[in-house]
Structures are given as C-alpha cells and as structure tokens.
Amino acid sequence: MKNFVVKTLANAGALGVAIWLLQDITLTGESTGKKALTLILVALVFGLVNVLVKPIVKLLTLPLFILTLGLITLVVNALMLLLTSWLADLFNLSFHVEGFWTAVLGGLIISVVSWALNVVLPDGD
C-alpha cells in the first residue's frame, strides 16, 4: 500500500513539473486545494493507464522498439499522456494536453522527474 501511495505521489509531482514547464499542459481549478486534488486524481488515472494499457502497447510496438533502438518509447509515453488527458476530460477533471508534440515533451519530462522521485522517495511496503 505504501508503494502505491509513493508511486502516485511521484506521478503527481512529475505531472506538476510538466504542467509548470509547459504552457500547453494545463490544470485549472478555483483554488489551490482543488488543483491539488485534481492533480492527485489525474496521477491516479495516469498510473492506471500506465499499468493497464502501456504494457499492451509496448508489446504491440516491440518490432518498432527494436527498429528505433527504443526511441518509440517517447511516442508511447506521449500517447499515454494524451489518453490520460482524454480520460480526465471524461471524468470532468480540469487537465488537458494540447497537441502531440507537447505530449512528447511532457512525456519526456514526466519520465525523468518520475524516475528521480522514485529514486529519492522510499518504496518499501
């Protein structure tokens, strides 16, 4: 359970950094508390997308992964971020990613920050 909370907080932090750095990734809300709650909910959706959908997509793109020496991972991460944005819209969460190239850059930022936070934060159960 602790590992789940740590990973969700790391995802929320990584999403927050991407929102802060890129003007085309937006999170709106009436107050800071609502923005924080929305960010946690979006991090949960993002985590679910990465757990449920990403392995299937990675398996289907395995030949491209080999052909591009792993660079297709940037595209897969961007698609997962766009899927998260679409699902957030379905759940009336005020999170939006505008455009594919923004999603590619956002996915790169989220990957790096999430990795760094998972290294720093404790992960024991």
Side-chain angles (χ1 to χ4, degrees), residues 33-88:
K34 288 195 181 214
K35 284 183 182 180
L37 179 62
T38 301
L39 186 60
I40 295 294
L41 292 174
V42 170
L44 286 170
V45 171
F46 186 67
L48 286 174
V49 165
N50 280 326
V51 167
L52 299 176
V53 178
K54 193 172 184 177
I56 297 167
V57 172
K58 283 180 110 175
L59 181 64
L60 293 175
T61 60
L62 185 62
L64 289 174
F65 183 83
I66 294 167
L67 186 65
T68 64
L69 300 175
L71 290 177
I72 193 72
T73 303
L74 292 172
V75 174
V76 170
N77 288 343
L79 293 174
M80 296 305 107
L81 190 56
L82 287 171
L83 179 59
T84 300
S85 176
W86 180 73
L87 288 171

Side-chain angles (χ1 to χ4, degrees), residues 111-124:
S111 295
V112 170
V113 173
S114 180
W115 170 80
L117 288 175
N118 279 314
V119 166
V120 173
L121 294 173
D123 63 351

Side-chain angles (χ1 to χ4, degrees), residues 27-39 94:
L27 177 76
T28 55
E30 300 154 4
S31 66
T32 304
K34 288 195 181 214
K35 284 183 182 180
L37 179 62
T38 301
L39 186 60
S94 56

